[in-house]
């Protein structure tokens, strides 16, 4: 269990606490602050584990599997909490989570055929905008509502564009014989 893998596990372990502070009414206004800190910290572990793994050649099968899964768990948990708090429309969350399921299934098919589909530039940009969107929505500041809405729409568009990019670039993976 190397450092990048420990950071990935830490990110997964932070998710229940993030959800608790997002949704626990007893946490009051401080719940949002704690949830925000946990989300930002978890997001930073995502960036950090990948950089460390690549820089020090610590890439493992566990990391290849768990890192993207941990990311999906974190973002999906945040988005579902935000729907529960009526801060984002459910249909947008459905589009975002559906994209993640489609890409995950696509990667499984590719892996079964010995093909590794790396994260694309569009996918990375999408992730950054989704993280910013979630942070803005957790903050829930009326003064930033227009900015939050713009970032939400950009994240949604990038979600669809990155899905199309993955599918078009890797359409050979779905060859049906």
């Amino acid at each position: 269990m190397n450092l990048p893998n420990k950071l990935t596990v830490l990110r997964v372990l932070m998710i229940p606490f993030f959800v608790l502070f997002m949704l626990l009414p007893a946490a009051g206004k401080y719940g949002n602050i704690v949830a925000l800190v946990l989300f930002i910290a978890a997001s930073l572990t995502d960036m950090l584990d990948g950089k460390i793994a690549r820089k020090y050649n610590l890439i493992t099968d566990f990391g290849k599997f768990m890192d993207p899964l941990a990311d999906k768990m974190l973002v999906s948990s945040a988005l579902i909490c935000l729907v529960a708090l009526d801060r984002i429309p459910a249909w947008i969350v459905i589009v975002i989570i559906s994209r993640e399921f489609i890409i995950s299934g696509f990667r499984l098919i590719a892996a079964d055929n010995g093909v590794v589909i790396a994260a694309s530039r569009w996918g990375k940009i999408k992730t950054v905008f989704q993280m910013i969107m979630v942070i803005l929505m957790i903050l829930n500041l009326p003064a930033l509502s227009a900015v939050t809405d713009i970032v939400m729409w950009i994240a949604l568009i990038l979600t669809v564009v990155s899905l199309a990019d993955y599918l078009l670039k890797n359409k050979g993976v779905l060859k049906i014989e």
Side-chain angles (χ1 to χ4, degrees):
M1 184 63 71
N2 61 33
L3 180 58
N5 290 342
K6 288 178 183 175
L7 289 170
T8 298
V9 170
L10 176 63
R11 185 163 62 255
V12 171
L13 294 175
M14 292 170 83
I15 294 169
F17 296 101
F18 164 77
V19 170
L20 178 71
F21 282 101
M22 277 294 292
L23 299 179
L24 185 67
K29 64 180 179 179
Y30 298 107
N32 248 10
I33 294 167
V34 174
L36 178 65
V37 169
L38 286 169
F39 184 82
I40 291 171
S43 297
L44 290 174
T45 67
D46 176 31
M47 181 182 71
L48 198 56
D49 66 12
K51 286 184 185 248
I52 293 170
R54 286 185 295 278
K55 183 175 182 177
Y56 296 103
N57 196 27
L58 297 172
I59 297 168
T60 64
D61 288 338
F62 176 85
K64 287 180 196 176
F65 172 73
M66 276 307 297
D67 182 61
L69 184 60
D71 300 342
K72 287 168 184 39
M73 290 169 60
L74 175 65
V75 173
S76 296
S77 297
L79 292 172
I80 292 166
C81 288
L82 291 166
V83 167
L85 296 169
D86 202 29
R87 296 185 193 170
I88 188 170
W91 73 268
I92 291 176
V93 172
I94 290 167
V95 170
I96 291 170
I97 292 175
S98 294
R99 181 252 185 224
E100 300 307 330
F101 276 107
I102 292 167
I103 295 299
S104 294
F106 202 69
R107 283 189 166 138
L108 282 172
I109 293 168
D112 198 41
N113 292 311
V115 177
V116 174
I117 300 177
S120 74
R121 182 208 264 143
W122 286 112
K124 290 178 182 180
I125 295 168
K126 176 251 341 159
T127 299
V128 169
F129 272 89
Q130 284 180 357
M131 299 285 190
I132 293 168
M133 175 188 75
V134 168
I135 289 167
L136 289 169
M137 288 182 175
I138 293 170
L139 283 170
N140 197 30
L141 299 174
L144 294 177
S145 65
V147 172
T148 302
D149 287 347
I150 291 167
V151 171
M152 178 187 71
W153 287 107
I154 292 170
L156 180 63
I157 291 165
L158 288 170
T159 296
V160 174
V161 167
S162 66
L163 173 62
D165 180 60
Y166 273 108
L167 296 178
L168 289 172
K169 285 183 179 173
N170 300 288
K171 60 186 172 196
V173 169
L174 291 178
K175 285 188 228 171
I176 299 172
E177 298 177 25

